[in-house]
Amino acid sequence: CLAYTWCGGFGIVRICHIGQLCFGMGIVEDSERRQGAMKGSLIVVGFFILGVLAGRSGGLPSWAMDSNISFVALCGLLLFVGLGIGMNPDMKNDIKSLNPRLALLPVATILGSWLGAMVAYIIMCSDVCPVLHHRQLTDCLAIDSGFAYYSLSSIFITEYRGAELGTIALLANIIREMTTLLLTPLIAKRFGPLAPISSGGATTMDTTLPIITQTVGQRYVALSIYHGFVTDFTVPFVVILWCSMAG
């Protein structure tokens, strides 16, 4: 039920993105697009809360609790992701215009995210902060491998590792996206123009692209889109990899 409602919320946001590509509605003020991105995140959170309340009510029909519903919703979500990527007419030219050295930025983002997850796991498993004694390192790596793609990663983690870890993944990746939306100017000033792109993870080709472009300049648009495309594509594979390695 939770997975179904997450897909519902993200489906609305993804349809809006596809609509902009189809009807040429991409020329919008940066501030308006940023507000729209934050509003989309709040919609997903709202659907999540709706799913929790519906599940707690106990009044759902049996078919709504069927695990096949999550699979159907996941397939629908992947369909919208594919449509969004396939209907972007500038994707091919943007990738061709990239500096070959900057093409490794998604790899740096992925490895850096995993390193951060490992450090956090070590700290939270220590005697000073014994929060994650009941969790494995692979659980933390699976959550971190969502790269701010909260809807898709949360569904996979829920299916493989349970609703508790799936909920943590949802919140962790929403926080990553919201942090990028709110703190990109500060991140770019302190760590350079590539830092907010890495921080945005898979969202740099859609929801966080406006604020990143506004902060670091138009010359990083192609890199942001490429970075978001690559990290977005890797999410299902690396999340399932870490989930399958958990004991």
Side-chain angles (χ1 to χ4, degrees), residues 93-109:
N93 292 332
D94 288 340
I95 292 177
K96 284 184 176 180
S97 66
L98 283 176
N99 184 322
R101 290 180 298 177
L102 294 178
L104 295 176
L105 182 61
V107 178
T109 296

Side-chain angles (χ1 to χ4, degrees), residues 232-247:
D232 188 304
F233 182 78
T234 62
V235 168
F237 302 102
V238 292
V239 168
I240 292 177
L241 172 66
W242 292 122
C243 287
S244 63
M245 292 175 63

Side-chain angles (χ1 to χ4, degrees), residues 219-239:
R219 63 189 180 127
Y220 289 98
V221 170
L223 177 61
S224 296
I225 294 175
Y226 163 77
H227 176 271
F229 171 78
V230 173
T231 50
D232 188 304
F233 182 78
T234 62
V235 168
F237 302 102
V238 292
V239 168

Side-chain angles (χ1 to χ4, degrees), residues 200-211:
T203 67
T204 58
M205 69 175 182
D206 42 49
T207 55
T208 59
L209 180 61
I211 182 62

Side-chain angles (χ1 to χ4, degrees), residues 54-149:
R56 294 288 295 176
S57 68
L60 293 174
S62 58
W63 61 266
M65 306 302 295
D66 190 347
S67 60
N68 289 331
I69 292 292
S70 297
F71 177 74
V72 173
L74 177 59
C75 291
L77 177 58
L78 290 174
L79 173 64
F80 284 120
V81 171
L83 286 174
I85 294 173
M87 297 177 67
N88 185 349
D90 300 322
M91 178 66 70
K92 185 176 180 180
N93 292 332
D94 288 340
I95 292 177
K96 284 184 176 180
S97 66
L98 283 176
N99 184 322
R101 290 180 298 177
L102 294 178
L104 295 176
L105 182 61
V107 178
T109 296
I110 294 171
L111 296 179
S113 298
W114 289 347
L115 179 61
M118 292 177 186
V119 172
Y121 178 80
I122 293 172
I123 294 174
M124 292 185 179
C125 282
S126 65
D127 295 332
V128 179
C129 184
V131 177
L132 296 178
H133 279 174
H134 66 297
R135 287 296 179 185
Q136 304 175 37
L137 175 60
T138 51
D139 290 334
C140 293
L141 291 170
I143 292 173
D144 200 67
S145 296
F147 307 129
Y149 197 168

